[in-house]
Amino acid sequence: MKKSKLFLAALASLITSSMASKTYDDMVFAEDLPTDAKSFVQKFFPRHSVAFAEMDIRPYNSEYKVSLNDGTEINFNFFGEWSTVDCKFNAVPLNIVPDAIAQYADHRFPGSQIVAIHNEEFGYKVKLSNGITLTFNQHGELV
């Protein structure tokens, strides 16, 4: 009897934990994005519109994935703060890139453009148009 109760408790725990770790994507309309995300798109990409948006729902860490009509992809956290801007082959608007990072990339890799930037917990990762990826700390210093 004890073994069957223990087994059922373990099984219930396993099912509950597997359900809690499930993720799924849910399409959203551009007007349903967080206010900060909508403002970011309007400010830095005024000539582009949202072609597709979805909410990647995960326990404790949901995010929005937005694709613009020029192919740019932007990820926002649940509150609408940007985490990734990937312009593919076009330059990321320089107003998004911290000054120290923009100056370093311009000085060390003249003729290259920053085509993607990831705002990470401890700094930034940028991808240049020449294929090089650079990692910077929060102060814009190369790591």
Side-chain angles (χ1 to χ4, degrees):
M1 185 73 165
K2 270 188 172 180
K3 284 185 179 181
S4 63
K5 284 185 181 180
L6 184 59
F7 175 75
L8 287 175
L11 182 62
S13 175
L14 179 66
I15 290 171
T16 303
S17 67
S18 70
M19 288 175 66
S21 66
K22 293 265 187 211
T23 65
Y24 63 93
D25 296 336
D26 191 18
M27 287 186 57
V28 294
F29 293 105
E31 58 267 12
D32 295 331
L33 291 169
T35 302
D36 287 349
K38 290 187 286 190
S39 297
F40 182 89
V41 172
Q42 291 169 351
K43 179 179 180 181
F44 296 109
F45 300 93
R47 288 176 275 160
H48 301 292
S49 60
V50 174
F52 179 79
E54 67 182 8
M55 184 175 186
D56 186 12
I57 301 172
R58 299 183 228 159
Y60 313 112
N61 190 21
S62 296
E63 70 177 359
Y64 292 91
K65 297 179 181 180
V66 175
S67 295
L68 302 182
N69 61 351
D70 71 337
T72 297
E73 295 178 356
I74 309 169
N75 291 356
F76 298 97
N77 67 14
F78 182 76
F79 303 105
E81 299 162 336
W82 73 273
S83 58
T84 302
V85 176
D86 187 350
C87 294
K88 307 295 179 204
F89 305 105
N90 298 316
V92 171
L94 287 180
N95 305 24
I96 297 172
V97 181
D99 288 338
I101 294 172
Q103 290 172 4
Y104 181 91
D106 188 48
H107 178 71
R108 298 287 182 165
F109 302 96
S112 290
Q113 299 175 327
I114 296 173
V115 294
I117 184 166
H118 303 275
N119 185 357
E120 299 182 337
E121 187 175 350
F122 299 106
Y124 299 89
K125 259 189 192 172
V126 297
K127 181 179 178 187
L128 303 179
S129 56
N130 62 5
I132 292 176
T133 300
L134 304 169
T135 303
F136 297 88
N137 65 19
Q138 293 174 330
H139 306 291
E141 299 163 336
L142 187 68
V143 179

